[in-house]
């Protein structure tokens, strides 16, 4: 490179850097000038304050506010999508509620059991239990109320329905068989001895008209009677008009007697007139059809000899038929005479027939516990045939005793546990959606509705969809729910140090009237005595032991052992009835009768599912006895509740030991159940 080129390159480098410095300086001056113009001249009192950092976002579950995550995702309890927590201005210090971080326990994500104090797997479904915390209650909140945001309500799909008074219809489904109308049956029999020389109807099911020939009968007796008739007519004809009136009258009487004898043997007037003619020399007499209809039975063959009264044919008029329905005791209050009945038959799918109740059997079958309900149905088209299986629906209107429409709620609104029904009512005039749990008394089901006897008033709103989600949220907080009843309003815990009326302090002691019962001796009407004689105690203990053996057999899915257990219970109930003292017979008569009926029905079947249904009333009776008789049973027992038994209606039973063994499900859900009470002697004191 020459010196001239090097000088030129250096000059260019110097010029470019000078230009860059000038541009940078102009930019700094412009920024300073704009800042002074908009922000004013800085003074000594001006302070620069750093902006406050935004709070960290928290993601929570609308149904389980105790779940708090630093990033979006799904709730580990119910699986719902987490939403950002609503940011609210902090309340004044005096308005801040006291909060605790005390854990509520370990809960199952499927809400199989209430929260437990220790971690581990759910004893029902086997899922891992998760730690949950109590949520601080809002101001004015009560134990059975649940508050949620509008967004949470939308995500949980909570829907409500207004409680109204309206007519209801209750449906009962019955089954039965189509039968011939007994009042339209005709039995064709032989009136005299003879031989069936001809059969005009050779098969059953044939259609015949009234008067059509069915068979031809040769009878010597009929031939003799015909000869007597002809002789009597000839004798009457030989008498001249001038004959004695007495002789003429006797001849006419003989003719009438001969004709009447033939009529009594089943011959029609036309047949009798034919026999009177000399041309009627055929010795075979035709037996006609007495009614038009269908030949249901043919009892003879051609050439058979018959005697007086022998059945020959059975003919039925099937233009009207009967449907004999089987109604259980619980069905009978809803059925009355002349009530409309709709039914279908398998042979004609899509066809619905209508009839009316004509008769209700006044006596129940002692074995099936059903009564026959006769429905008369017109069958002019002949579609219904005797022997068809029918499925019927009987609809009855539901009203209050005074005739007014009842309170109705959707069938999806109540959560039914077997003995309790819980609904969630909308609390009015609240800033946020608030729902309150309430126990109600249900009446019969009316289609898609339930009748409410107590607990609700006209115009209130109840949750008709999503009630179980609300109840689950209360369960996870160990608050009253369908699984855990609220304590009575006036319940209290007595002071253990304060003496009861039976433990009055010595300085206040007095001698009571021996004839007047003390406060500790007053018992409710028909209550069982606190102690029974030795014979009754032994019989009841054996009854409980037999029950435990049956419970274990059902839990093991052993139908043979279960049937033996029910048979043993039946015999032990009989022994208990004989041993019960007179003073306890009134109180124990009805429970023992219920035990006897259920045990007899269970012992009569081989189906283990039917046995399990009869095991429930037996369990209910023995649980009541265990509550009233603390000294029975002899060994420790626990009362267990399964909320999923019998289509989620729930059921209880007694068993020995804390390892749940469900007799209603057996191996399919052996561990489904929660221990609720303990009976018998304390095992720690054994």
């Amino acid at each position: 490179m020459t010196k001239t080129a090097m000088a030129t390159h250096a000059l260019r480098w110097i010029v470019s850097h000078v230009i860059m410095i000038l541009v940078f300086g102009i930019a700094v001056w412009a920024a300073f000038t704009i800042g002074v113009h908009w922000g004013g001249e800085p003074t000594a009192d001006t302070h620069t304050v750093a902006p406050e950092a935004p709070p960290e976002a928290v993601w929570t579950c609308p149904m389980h506010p105790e779940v708090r995550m630093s990033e979006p995702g799904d709730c580990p309890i119910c699986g719902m999508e987490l939403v950002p927590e609503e940011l609210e201005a902090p309340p004044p210090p005096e308005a801040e509620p006291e909060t605790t971080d005390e854990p509520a326990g370990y809960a199952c994500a499927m809400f199989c059991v209430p929260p437990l104090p220790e971690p581990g797997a759910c004893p029902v479904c086997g899922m891992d239990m998760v730690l949950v915390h109590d949520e601080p209650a809002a101001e004015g909140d009560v134990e059975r109320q649940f508050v949620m945001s509008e967004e949470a309500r939308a995500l949980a799909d909570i829907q409500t329905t207004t409680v109204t008074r309206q007519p209801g219809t209750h449906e009962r489904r019955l089954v039965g068989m189509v039968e011939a109308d007994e009042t339209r049956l005709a039995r064709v029999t032989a009136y005299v001895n003879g031989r069936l020389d001809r059969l005009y109807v050779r098969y059953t099911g044939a259609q015949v008209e009234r008067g059509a020939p069915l068979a031809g009968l040769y009878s010597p007796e009929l031939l003799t009677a015909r000869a007597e008739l002809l002789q009597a007519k000839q004798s009457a004809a030989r008498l001249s008009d001038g004959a004695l009136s007495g002789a003429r009258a006797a001849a006419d009487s003989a003719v009438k007697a001969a004709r009447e004898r033939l009529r009594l043997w089943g011959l029609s007037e036309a047949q009798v007139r034919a026999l009177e003619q000399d041309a009627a020399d055929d010795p075979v007499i035709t037996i006609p059809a007495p009614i038009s209809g269908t030949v249901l039975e043919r009892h003879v063959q051609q050439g058979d000899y018959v005697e007086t009264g022998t059945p020959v044919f059975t003919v039925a008029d099937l233009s009207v038929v009967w449907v004999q329905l089987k109604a259980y005791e619980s069905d009978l209050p809803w059925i009355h005479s002349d009530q409309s009945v709709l039914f279908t038959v398998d042979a004609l799918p899509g066809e619905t027939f209508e009839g009316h109740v004509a008769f209700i059997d006044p006596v129940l079958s002692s074995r099936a516990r059903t009564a026959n309900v006769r429905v008369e149905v017109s069958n002019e088209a002949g579609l219904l045939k005797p022997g068809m299986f029918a499925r019927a629906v009987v609809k009855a209107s539901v009203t209050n005793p005074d005739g007014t429409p009842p309170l109705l709620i959707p069938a999806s609104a109540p959560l039914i546990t077997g003995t309790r029904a819980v609904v969630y009512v909308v609390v009015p005039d609240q800033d946020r959606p608030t729902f309150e749990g309430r126990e109600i008394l249900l009446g019969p089901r009316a289609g898609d509705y339930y009748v409410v006897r107590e607990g609700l008033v006209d115009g209130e709103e109840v949750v008709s969809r999503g009630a179980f989600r609300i109840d689950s949220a209360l369960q996870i907080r160990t608050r009253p729910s369908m699984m855990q009843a609220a304590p009575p309003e006036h319940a209290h815990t007595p002071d253990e140090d304060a003496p009861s009326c039976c433990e009055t302090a010595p300085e206040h002691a007095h001698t009571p009237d021996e004839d007047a019962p003390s406060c500790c001796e007053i018992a409710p009407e028909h209550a069982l005595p606190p102690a029974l004689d030795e014979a009754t105690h032994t019989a009841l203990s054996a009854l409980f032991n037999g029950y435990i053996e049956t419970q274990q057999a059902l839990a093991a899915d052993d139908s043979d052992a279960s049937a033996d257990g029910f048979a043993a219970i039946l015999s032990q109930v009989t022994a208990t009835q004989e041993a019960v003292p007179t003073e306890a017979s009134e109180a124990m008569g009805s429970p023992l009768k219920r035990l006897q009926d259920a045990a007899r029905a269970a012992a009569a079947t081989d189906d283990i599912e039917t046995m399990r249904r009869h095991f429930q009333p037996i369990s209910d009776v023995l649980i009541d006895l265990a509550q009233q008789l603390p000294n029975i049973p002899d060994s420790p027992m626990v009362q267990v509740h399964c909320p999923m038994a019998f289509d989620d209606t729930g059921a209880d039973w007694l068993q020995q030991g804390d390892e749940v063994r469900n007799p209603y499900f057996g191996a399919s859900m052996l561990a489904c159940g929660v221990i609720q009470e303990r009976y018998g002697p304390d095992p720690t004191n054994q």
Side-chain angles (χ1 to χ4, degrees), residues 175-181 296 316 318 320-325 343-348 379 382-391:
V175 296
M177 301 288 289
V178 178
E179 297 181 359
D181 186 344
L296 296 185
L318 299 181
V320 176
V321 296
W322 289 352
V323 178
Q324 293 281 15
L325 301 176
F343 67 93
T344 60
V345 293
D346 294 342
L348 301 168
N379 188 36
L383 298 177
L384 298 174
K385 305 181 186 305
M388 284 184 172
F389 182 77
R391 294 181 174 88

Side-chain angles (χ1 to χ4, degrees), residues 557-578:
D557 296 327
D558 190 339
S559 59
D560 293 337
S562 300
D564 294 341
F566 284 113
I569 290 177
L570 186 59
S571 63
Q572 290 154 0
V573 169
T574 303
T576 305
Q577 290 173 329
E578 297 174 354

